[in-house]
Amino acid sequence: MDNHTNHNGETLVEVKNLVKYFPVRAGLLQRVVNQVKAVDDVSFIVKKGETLGMVGESGCGKTTIGRTMLRLIEPTSGSVQFEGKDVFSLPPRELKVVRRDMQIIFQDPYASLDPRVPIGESVMEGLHIHKIGTPKERVDIMLETLKKVGLEDYHARRYPHEFSGGQRQRIGIARALALRPSFIICDEPVSALDVSIQSQVLNILKDLQSEFGLTYLFIAHNLSVVEHVSNRVAVMYLGKMVELTTREELFRNPLHPYTKALMSAIPVPNPRLKRQRTVLKGDVPSPLNPPRGCRFHPRCPVAIEKCSQEEPEFLEVSPDHFVACWLAQ
């Protein structure tokens, strides 16, 4: 299973066979009675300077992947290589150094800001922790970073509650950017914002990427947002990656039935055109007890018998187009 072939650009991050199970405890002794299989054997690479979009319904494991890659939650097994270093086996001091280069923008900008601290301090927090620059240099970096995300000097003295949702998300971006990382995980950075503000924030992320040569893992549940920002797109379903290819190829030729169903839900800008909606039957199965075989088969409109028996491998079916589906292989 070679899905680590590089067609262009060098690999910045390589995720191999990543697994994260959360134990479910019950009873008086809090014994582990089951496992939530949040992420189950996922492998992919992120190339330098690209944006890899990761999309899927709530609960498919995409946020867990992002947080596990940074070791904000500890993995069950697998490995993450960042610039050749194995993130999961680094001792605390070295992990801290690597974390300077790997930052995260959280979904809810309000929850990730301390309400008692002016936002200028919040943005400088990482600079203090990593002992970057003199106090004056830190202030300069902070003010410059706020400017980059479209905020003014006087904003630095204000508190989080004095900002709108879109401005708070800019502050979140500024915090991640202040350390000048090379890799940023954007965990649904626009899903809590109004549509009119979403495009502003996405454009800021794009401008910063070209200015600083950033690499993004962009997690979202909205395919049209992912189409706007990504070079390649990975589709997740119930802890597994089901399809991965370039943005153009995915939107032109989706191979997995689940990807096709997601596509059919994107609104068409022309009111005269009606897209054929693929309405999936049933609910997403529980990650406590994923179905046998292909995890999508209970809801799949084209499933054959084999789908409920054997799990399809994640294979490269055409150059740079990977899919886990018996009908596509």
Side-chain angles (χ1 to χ4, degrees):
M1 173 183 166
D2 177 35
N3 59 345
H4 305 293
T5 37
N6 246 2
H7 295 281
N8 53 355
E10 33 182 328
T11 303
L12 182 72
V13 188
E14 180 169 1
V15 176
K16 269 193 181 158
N17 311 108
L18 184 63
V19 176
K20 177 59 186 174
Y21 291 172
F22 292 99
V24 178
R25 300 175 185 278
L28 208 54
L29 300 171
Q30 289 292 297
R31 275 209 192 91
V32 177
V33 290
N34 207 333
Q35 303 271 1
V36 176
K37 299 177 173 67
V39 179
D40 207 351
D41 193 18
V42 169
S43 302
F44 60 93
I45 61 169
V46 188
K47 299 170 191 164
K48 250 191 189 115
E50 78 162 344
T51 300
L52 174 64
M54 186 174 279
V55 73
E57 289 165 287
S58 300
C60 68
K62 50 192 192 303
T63 294
T64 307
I65 288 180
R67 296 189 173 196
T68 312
M69 284 169 72
L70 293 181
R71 256 175 84 183
L72 296 175
I73 37 187
E74 289 294 323
T76 302
S77 66
S79 74
V80 171
Q81 299 269 341
F82 175 73
E83 293 183 325
K85 300 186 190 85
D86 182 359
V87 178
F88 294 167
S89 61
L90 290 178
R93 188 175 298 151
E94 286 177 47
L95 180 64
K96 186 173 157 183
V97 175
V98 166
R99 278 213 177 125
R100 204 183 130 172
D101 279 333
M102 302 172 82
Q103 289 288 311
I104 185 165
I105 299 166
F106 292 102
Q107 176 175 357
D108 179 358
Y110 197 54
S112 58
L113 291 169
D114 184 337
R116 294 165 311 214
V117 174
I119 64 117
E121 294 290 321
S122 285
V123 171
M124 287 193 292
E125 191 178 11
L127 302 172
H128 289 309
I129 292 171
H130 291 280
K131 301 187 174 56
I132 295 168
T134 63
K136 183 184 176 307
E137 284 165 349
R138 289 174 199 167
V139 172
D140 292 344
I141 292 173
M142 178 266 292
L143 293 174
E144 187 197 341
T145 308
L146 287 180
K147 271 210 184 65
K148 296 270 185 238
V149 298
L151 295 169
E152 297 300 329
D153 289 4
Y154 62 83
H155 284 130
R157 296 186 292 281
R158 294 194 177 170
Y159 290 86
H161 71 266
E162 299 178 65
F163 293 92
S164 68
Q167 287 175 316
R168 280 188 210 132
Q169 196 52 286
R170 291 168 186 227
I171 297 162
I173 294 169
R175 280 181 75 175
L177 193 70
L179 290 165
R180 299 289 181 266
S182 49
F183 178 56
I184 299 183
I185 293 176
C186 308
D187 185 6
E188 304 218 17
V190 295
S191 61
L193 306 176
D194 293 343
V195 174
S196 56
I197 299 166
Q198 284 189 2
S199 56
Q200 293 174 10
V201 172
L202 292 174
N203 288 334
I204 286 175
L205 287 169
K206 276 186 125 165
D207 294 346
L208 293 171
Q209 181 168 37
S210 55
E211 186 174 342
F212 293 108
L214 295 169
T215 305
Y216 292 143
L217 173 65
F218 193 95
I219 298 170
H221 57 253
N222 180 338
L223 261 176
S224 37
V225 167
V226 165
E227 182 179 19
H228 183 65
V229 296
S230 306
N231 305 98
R232 290 186 307 139
V233 181
V235 181
M236 294 282 300
Y237 183 78
L238 208 62
K240 291 265 181 203
M241 198 170 276
V242 294
E243 190 159 1
L244 170 66
T245 184
T246 61
R247 174 188 66 196
E248 296 78 15
E249 173 76 4
L250 190 79
F251 283 83
R252 197 184 68 234
N253 179 28
L255 294 177
H256 199 280
Y258 177 60
T259 314
K260 291 176 185 169
L262 283 180
M263 296 278 178
S264 77
I266 300 176
V268 186
N270 182 344
R272 292 207 180 83
L273 287 175
K274 286 276 292 179
R275 200 169 263 184
Q276 278 301 108
R277 236 353 259 276
T278 313
V279 180
L280 298 176
K281 47 188 194 287
D283 291 324
V284 183
S286 159
L288 274 172
N289 194 7
R292 251 191 79 191
C294 169
R295 297 192 169 185
F296 187 56
H297 85 261
R299 300 173 71 200
C300 182
V302 293
I304 51 175
E305 184 155 350
K306 187 175 190 180
C307 303
S308 59
Q309 308 300 319
E310 294 175 58
E311 190 173 331
E313 238 191 294
F314 191 61
L315 295 175
E316 188 166 12
V317 289
S318 62
D320 224 7
H321 196 155
F322 303 88
V323 66
C325 174
W326 288 118
L327 298 173
Q329 288 173 8

